[in-house]
Amino acid sequence: MRNAPTILHLDMDAFFASVEQASKPSLRGKAVVVGGLGPRGVVATASYEARVFGVHSAMPMAQARRLTPNAAYLVPRFALYRSISEQVMGLLRELSPLVEPLSLDEAFVDLEAGEAASDAASARLAGERLRADIRAVTGLSGSVGLAASKMLAKIASEQAKPDGLVLIEPGTERAMLGPMPVRTLPGVGPATGDHLRRAGITTVEEIAEAGEDELVRLLGKAHGHALYAMALAHDERPVVAERETKSVSVEDTYDVDIHDRMRVGLEVQRLADRCVRRLRGAGLSGRTIVLKVRRYDFSTLTRSETLRGPTDDPAVVREAAARLLDSVDTTGGVRLLGVGVSGLADYTQEDLFAQAAAGEAGEPVLEEDVAEPVVEQEAAAERRWPAGHDVRHAEYGHGWVQGSGLGRVTVRFETPASVGPGRVRTFRVDDPALEPAEPLPLVAGGEGVPVEGVGA
């Protein structure tokens, strides 16, 4: 572990919800919940105003609605979130070449590697400057933790939330960690926490006092050793700029259980094609095909098949997924399906002659190659207006969808630069004057962000 707090952890505050509040003046200071709005949807992010009522990420959306029925419930706009994330990550890379993104809104930075800091004073200055730059570029707030290790920097950023900075001075780590609950340490989830509590261990200091041998006895060799080291504030993990992708997968949760076996099979084929699109988009191939099935009773089954060599052939992945499905009983109903590929490589070992022969024989192509006309026909028949997404009206200008149903769509007309809440109007869902629109920049002078599937 280094002698200066030059590892920085950035965590954007309630990222998805904060983006929505920044783009919608009427939601600022209000409870906002972003996630899947169907009967089985889950919360992706909740604003701090919603968290006061107990709403949190991964909570079933139905439960969130019971806790805070008056919140704004919005469908995620991932293209916008990704674009803003790229702006933030760009600011981090100006600090150092060693930036380790963990998600769209979270990353580690090695300030020493970029000569941005060498001691506590310069590290604090770099952290404050970063927070100011993020607000200037995106209009959003981020919390920063600074410490001599990744584990401690992440703990510090959690203490800094929301919109703050916490620096842990070298030499104070043990005293700071000691009274904290065991769940503070990475890898200590509810099950491990309960196991430790039953053994009389509830704080980090009590983990250290228990000793390594006792932890190994309670948790096993690997977990026991790691937990004891963390309790002593030992963490030698470096910031790694490129994190290796271990698998590529897609999955869907269905609002109503699927009972028809043919429909289940078609869904698996569709998911296999989506998975291959992601695989090819990343320039990868893989040897192991994985099928995930969550049944009506919430039991989850995983089946896998390992091929002779890596593949990115959609037909091969579809056939393997179908074989795996044959071994699963779905008669009671299916609520979730997923297809994944692991054992990744940046090359394939397929029989090129066999592939060419299959193509000549009319082998089906990827779903995206044939589905677009169908999507357009469906869109023409019934236009969808997801809650929270941007629209433009020929007379009223730019706005966002508050809700839709019964052939009507309600729109609030405002922009990120509006002063106060905008006016609300309701239209027919097929009103020719209303059309989907691109998000507007959150900060004056920024560039617009394209929405997936929506033209300029």
Side-chain angles (χ1 to χ4, degrees):
M1 211 162 73
R2 58 188 67 185
N3 296 319
T6 52
I7 292 182
L8 180 149
H9 181 260
L10 171 72
D11 197 347
M12 298 296 290
D13 298 323
F15 184 50
F16 296 174
S18 294
V19 170
E20 299 299 344
Q21 289 176 317
S23 66
K24 302 172 173 66
S26 59
L27 298 184
R28 294 170 190 170
K30 306 284 183 63
V32 174
V33 181
V34 180
L37 303 189
R40 291 178 177 167
V42 296
V43 175
T45 308
S47 69
Y48 286 98
E49 296 83 357
R51 295 182 191 189
V52 170
F53 297 95
V55 180
H56 57 78
S57 299
M59 171 182 284
M61 191 63 76
Q63 183 180 355
R65 288 185 185 275
R66 289 193 295 270
L67 291 172
T68 175
N70 296 321
Y73 289 87
L74 307 177
V75 175
R77 297 187 292 169
F78 288 112
L80 176 59
Y81 308 150
R82 279 195 294 269
S83 175
I84 296 171
S85 173
E86 289 170 4
Q87 292 178 307
V88 172
M89 296 301 166
L91 292 173
L92 298 183
R93 292 186 179 96
E94 291 178 7
L95 286 174
S96 172
L98 287 184
V99 176
E100 182 178 339
L102 304 179
S103 62
L104 289 177
D105 61 342
E106 186 180 0
F108 287 110
V109 183
D110 187 332
L111 297 177
E112 278 188 15
E115 299 182 352
S118 58
D119 55 21
S122 57
R124 183 180 294 277
L125 182 63
E128 293 290 8
R129 187 169 61 246
L130 172 65
R131 293 178 60 240
D133 289 345
I134 289 172
R135 189 175 291 279
V137 171
T138 69
L140 304 176
S141 67
S143 296
V144 166
L146 292 158
S149 70
K150 290 168 70 172
M151 178 190 76
L152 292 167
K154 185 171 175 62
I155 291 172
S157 70
E158 188 63 32
Q159 290 183 316
K161 284 187 165 295
D163 193 19
L165 181 149
V166 168
L167 183 148
I168 300 175
E169 292 276 2
T172 67
E173 296 94 346
R174 287 286 302 277
M176 182 271 299
L177 281 176
M180 290 185 170
V182 295
R183 291 286 303 278
T184 302
L185 298 180
V188 181
T192 301
D194 287 344
H195 196 55
L196 291 170
R197 180 180 52 78
R198 288 194 296 270
I201 300 173
T202 60
T203 68
V204 175
E205 182 59 33
E206 288 169 347
I207 291 177
E209 290 174 352
E212 190 169 13
D213 291 342
E214 176 65 7
L215 291 171
V216 169
R217 186 187 68 81
L218 287 171
L219 304 174
K221 187 173 182 179
H223 202 177
H225 284 314
L227 196 58
Y228 183 68
M230 288 189 288
L232 298 179
H234 295 165
D235 179 17
E236 301 295 339
R237 294 173 301 157
V239 176
V240 181
E242 296 295 332
R243 303 186 70 198
E244 182 181 359
T245 301
K246 296 182 179 180
S247 64
V248 173
S249 63
V250 297
E251 62 181 44
D252 278 343
T253 300
Y254 304 99
D255 292 343
V256 179
D257 290 348
I258 303 175
H259 293 84
D260 181 76
R261 182 74 176 186
M262 181 175 292
R263 166 82 189 284
V264 173
L266 290 173
E267 287 294 315
V268 168
Q269 300 297 289
R270 183 179 62 82
L271 290 166
D273 285 346
R274 281 175 53 195
C275 183
V276 170
R277 289 207 301 275
R278 287 192 179 184
L279 200 66
R280 287 184 168 182
L284 297 169
S285 59
R287 294 186 62 209
T288 301
I289 315 303
V290 181
L291 176 71
K292 178 180 177 181
V293 179
R294 181 166 298 149
R295 299 188 292 190
Y296 70 98
D297 59 357
F298 286 89
S299 62
T300 302
L301 304 176
T302 303
R303 300 286 185 268
S304 64
E305 175 181 320
T306 299
L307 309 174
R308 288 179 297 176
T311 184
D312 66 352
D313 187 329
V316 173
V317 176
R318 281 196 299 265
E319 289 168 5
R323 286 193 297 271
L324 295 170
L325 180 61
D326 288 340
S327 65
V328 178
D329 179 10
T330 63
T331 53
V334 170
R335 60 186 293 120
L336 176 146
L337 290 168
V339 174
V341 177
S342 60
L344 301 181
D346 57 359
Y347 62 94
T348 62
Q349 290 181 347
E350 298 287 40
D351 184 336
L352 299 180
F353 293 103
Q355 288 188 34
E360 293 172 0
E363 186 68 43
V365 294
L366 284 174
E367 182 186 20
E368 67 178 351
D369 296 330
V370 298
E372 191 62 32
V374 177
V375 171
E376 291 176 352
Q377 291 167 10
E378 291 175 352
E382 181 179 356
R383 301 170 74 186
R384 295 182 63 252
W385 302 103
H389 283 223
D390 295 81
V391 295
R392 177 169 294 279
H393 190 274
E395 179 180 353
Y396 298 108
H398 191 94
W400 58 276
V401 176
Q402 281 198 321
S404 62
L406 301 177
R408 295 287 186 269
V409 55
T410 299
V411 178
R412 184 178 290 274
F413 289 98
E414 60 185 3
T415 71
S418 297
V419 179
R423 56 189 172 180
V424 176
R425 294 286 186 274
T426 298
F427 309 93
R428 299 191 319 273
V429 294
D430 59 352
D431 190 324
L434 190 68
E435 61 182 6
E438 294 181 358
L440 296 177
L442 302 184
V443 175
E447 296 181 356
V449 182
V451 175
E452 293 177 348
V454 178

